[in-house]
Amino acid sequence: MGQTVTVECYACSTTTHVTVPRLGYAAWQAGALIQRAMPGLLIEDREALISSLCHHCQDLIFAEEEE
């Protein structure tokens, strides 16, 4: 069973809704690595949970790092 977590982007204030598995989210909150706790989530959704960046801002910020 899943739950929806709302994340507000700290860079642009866009709201992102991520549906996460309850047990996986609880495991992550308890200290498990997010990729192990919720392997079925998109990388962008996991990053939104970790960094509070929407997908668009992730693209902008991480594209700059790759250059």
Side-chain angles (χ1 to χ4, degrees):
M1 179 104 16
Q3 70 183 54
T4 300
V5 177
T6 301
V7 179
E8 183 176 342
C9 180
Y10 79 87
C12 71
S13 299
T14 297
T15 300
T16 301
H17 302 283
V18 181
T19 301
V20 298
R22 289 183 190 274
L23 293 177
Y25 187 76
W28 176 58
Q29 291 293 294
L33 295 174
I34 195 166
Q35 63 268 32
R36 290 199 177 178
M38 297 180 279
L41 288 184
L42 294 173
I43 293 169
E44 295 86 354
D45 287 341
R46 292 195 306 248
E47 187 61 38
L49 293 169
I50 293 167
S51 64
S52 296
L53 287 169
C54 69
H55 296 183
H56 175 73
C57 289
Q58 288 176 43
D59 289 344
L60 293 174
I61 290 170
F62 297 136
E64 290 174 6
E65 289 179 2
E66 292 175 4
E67 292 177 359

